[in-house]
């Protein structure tokens, strides 16, 4: 395949409700989408990719404007100089450029979609998915009051979500988790996500979470703190799951060998793409480490791809794979993701099984950048 054209789209999609984590409150998702044209054996095919970079470099060092710059100035010229190529070689071609996993993942995603459309296969079949549905968990942002949190969780349980994840940070943790457990009981699958808001000095406080019999605590310490996570894991009963720390299969291997995590949250954009995500899945499964698929407020495009990934056999815990309406009143795909009875169906159509709704994309679009190829 050869890259023959690329257009970057920035769309601003209002969230249904504000989403608060330990590093801020978000009311709009500023999504970067790639519309890439490829020549595959003489056929001209368009593939779409989605970058999960945030508007600000808070969750990671990547952000939308930075992704636009690195794609335009470095990634595209590098990929064009290597043609012809296949989607499976994109990550290796781009490896000399340090970092920028989310931008690289978006380019690989577009190449994968075009290649699958050419071959007329679904992403689920391409990856080797073994299930037709996957359980849907929901991530609950930090709420300003405990009664408000209880009402929010009750609403999601009434909708049928299979697992509840509470965002936490110091002083918004023990009282909130206790209230949820006392209100809804221990039959509810419950986990918490700290987004690196604590330090090892908070071990006594984190140990108090053990009484709530949580599925896991996600990324309690800093992303570079593998040894500290290992020490924390030896001090508390709640299983530790790593998120921000896992940026590659190599990082996952280090975490497993150090005993820093017994569970891994795989986010394809964070690790550099869906193919690296599958490698981490395979590694974790070989070592008996559970994995689940995290979410990054993806549109229906990224959400559909995540569902196919989560249908692999090693994904044994419910992921952050909610219906499109969890975050957006209107999505930008013609086929919104729908949750039914706590599960979402694995798309079976060609490629990711969804199509970009160009009218909706145009409606939400704030920036359109044609990229000149070298």
């Amino acid at each position: 395949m050869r890259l023959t054209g690329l257009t970057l789209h920035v769309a601003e999609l209002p969230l249904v409700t504000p989403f608060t984590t330990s590093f801020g409150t978000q009311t709009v998702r500023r999504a970067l989408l790639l519309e890439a044209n490829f020549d595959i054996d003489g056929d001209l095919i368009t593939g779409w990719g989605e970058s999960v970079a945030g508007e600000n470099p808070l969750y990671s060092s990547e952000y939308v404007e930075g992704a636009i710059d690195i794609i335009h100035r470095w990634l595209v010229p590098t990929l064009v100089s290597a043609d012809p190529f296949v989607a499976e070689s994109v990550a290796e071609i781009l490896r000399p450029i340090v970092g920028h996993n989310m931008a690289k993942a978006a380019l690989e995603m577009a190449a994968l979609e075009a290649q699958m459309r050419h071959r007329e296969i679904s992403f689920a079949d391409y990856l080797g998915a073994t299930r037709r549905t996957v359980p849907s968990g929901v991530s609950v942002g930090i709420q300003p009051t405990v009664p408000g949190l209880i009402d929010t969780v009750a609403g999601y349980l009434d909708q049928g979500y299979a697992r509840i994840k509470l965002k936490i940070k110091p002083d918004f943790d023990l009282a909130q988790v206790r209230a949820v457990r006392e209100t809804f009981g221990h039959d509810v699958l419950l986990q918490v996500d700290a987004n690196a808001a604590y330090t090892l000095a908070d071990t006594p406080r984190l140990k108090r979470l053990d009484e709530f019999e949580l599925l896991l605590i996600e990324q309690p310490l800093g992303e570079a703190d593998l040894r500290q996570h290992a020490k924390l894991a030896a001090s508390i009963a709640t299983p530790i799951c790593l998120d921000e720390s896992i940026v590659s299969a190599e990082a996952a291997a280090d975490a497993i060998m150090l005993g820093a995590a017994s569970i891994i949250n795989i986010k394809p954009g964070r690790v550099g793409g869906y193919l690296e995500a599958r490698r981490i899945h395979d590694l974790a499964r070989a070592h008996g480490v559970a994995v689940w698929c995290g979410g990054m407020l993806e549109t229906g495009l990224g959400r559909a791809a995540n569902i196919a990934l989560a249908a692999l056999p090693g994904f044994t815990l419910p992921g952050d794979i909610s219906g499109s309406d969890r975050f957006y009143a209107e999505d930008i795909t013609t086929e919104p993701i729908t949750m039914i009875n706590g599960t979402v169906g694995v798309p079976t159509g060609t490629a990711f099984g969804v199509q970009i709704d160009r009218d909706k994309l145009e409606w939400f679009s704030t920036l359109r950048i044609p990229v000149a190829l070298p």
Side-chain angles (χ1 to χ4, degrees):
M1 65 193 316
R2 288 182 171 86
L3 180 65
T4 60
L6 179 67
T7 302
L8 305 180
H9 301 266
V10 177
E12 294 188 358
L13 283 74
L15 300 184
V16 172
T17 57
F19 188 63
T20 300
T21 67
S22 62
F23 46 78
T25 298
Q26 191 169 354
T27 58
V28 174
R29 163 85 197 287
R30 194 158 183 254
L32 174 60
L33 298 159
L34 282 64
E35 180 183 5
N37 300 318
F38 298 92
D39 182 327
I40 305 178
D41 297 333
D43 293 331
L44 300 181
I45 300 177
T46 297
W48 287 85
E50 178 174 354
S51 168
V52 295
E55 184 172 0
N56 302 307
L58 300 176
Y59 169 82
S60 80
S61 61
E62 297 187 65
Y63 60 103
V64 171
E65 277 74 18
I68 291 172
D69 182 67
I70 196 72
I71 290 170
H72 183 273
R73 294 178 58 196
W74 292 98
L75 299 186
V76 166
T78 300
L79 196 58
V80 169
S81 68
D83 70 13
F85 56 88
V86 293
E88 292 80 4
S89 66
V90 169
E92 188 61 31
I93 292 168
L94 301 179
R95 187 179 298 276
I97 299 167
V98 177
H100 302 282
N101 279 356
M102 295 176 183
K104 293 176 180 178
L107 266 176
E108 181 192 81
M109 184 179 181
L112 279 170
E113 194 197 25
Q115 188 168 281
M116 288 185 293
R117 289 198 178 282
H118 183 255
R119 298 178 182 175
E120 298 184 342
I121 61 172
S122 71
F123 194 37
D125 287 341
Y126 172 84
L127 289 174
T130 57
R131 286 170 285 176
R132 294 187 176 181
T133 63
V134 298
S136 179
V138 67
S139 181
V140 181
I142 294 171
Q143 305 295 307
T145 67
V146 170
L149 173 64
I150 296 302
D151 288 344
T152 299
V153 172
Y156 289 131
L157 290 176
D158 287 344
Q159 292 176 45
Y161 280 100
R163 182 270 286 152
I164 301 293
K165 179 172 81 172
L166 305 180
K167 294 287 187 176
I168 62 170
K169 64 180 181 179
D171 298 326
F172 286 84
D173 45 21
L174 297 174
Q176 286 73 14
V177 176
R178 178 176 288 108
V180 170
R181 269 293 184 231
E182 289 178 351
T183 303
F184 302 105
H186 285 260
D187 290 337
V188 171
L189 296 181
L190 182 65
Q191 63 192 57
V192 295
D193 181 8
N195 288 119
Y198 298 84
T199 70
L200 200 57
D202 295 307
T203 298
R205 185 177 189 88
L206 295 172
K207 187 172 178 59
R208 294 174 63 187
L209 291 170
D210 289 347
E211 67 178 281
F212 305 120
E213 298 179 351
L214 301 173
L215 280 175
L216 56 92
I217 177 171
E218 184 180 350
Q219 197 69 41
L221 312 180
E223 62 184 64
D225 296 343
L226 288 185
R227 285 182 295 175
Q228 290 89 333
H229 275 108
K231 187 171 182 179
L232 178 64
S235 303
I236 66 176
T238 305
I240 289 179
C241 168
L242 289 184
D243 174 4
E244 289 94 328
S245 296
I246 307 302
V247 295
S248 64
E250 290 83 356
D254 288 344
I256 293 170
M257 292 300 100
L258 286 171
S262 55
I263 300 168
I264 290 174
N265 172 0
I266 300 179
K267 291 179 178 174
R270 189 195 61 232
V271 304
Y274 287 93
L275 301 184
E276 185 73 358
R278 184 173 61 181
R279 281 188 282 271
I280 295 172
H281 161 275
D282 295 345
L283 171 74
R285 191 179 183 210
H287 287 84
V289 172
V291 299
W292 56 281
C293 184
M296 296 282 285
L297 306 185
E298 290 91 349
T299 69
L301 179 68
R303 199 169 297 267
N306 285 356
I307 294 170
L309 178 71
L312 290 172
F315 285 86
T316 56
L317 296 175
D320 289 337
I321 305 175
S322 55
S324 296
D325 59 356
R326 161 64 182 95
F327 291 111
Y328 307 116
E330 285 191 86
D331 209 333
I332 59 169
T333 54
T334 56
E335 305 84 357
I337 304 301
T338 303
M339 185 198 69
I340 301 175
N341 298 324
T343 66
V344 291
V346 178
T348 57
T350 301
F352 301 127
V354 298
Q355 298 276 356
I356 295 294
D357 186 322
R358 288 188 176 274
D359 290 338
K360 289 183 179 178
L361 177 60
E362 181 66 25
W363 176 260
F364 291 114
S365 178
T366 58
L367 192 61
R368 181 178 181 274
I369 306 173
V371 177
L373 302 188

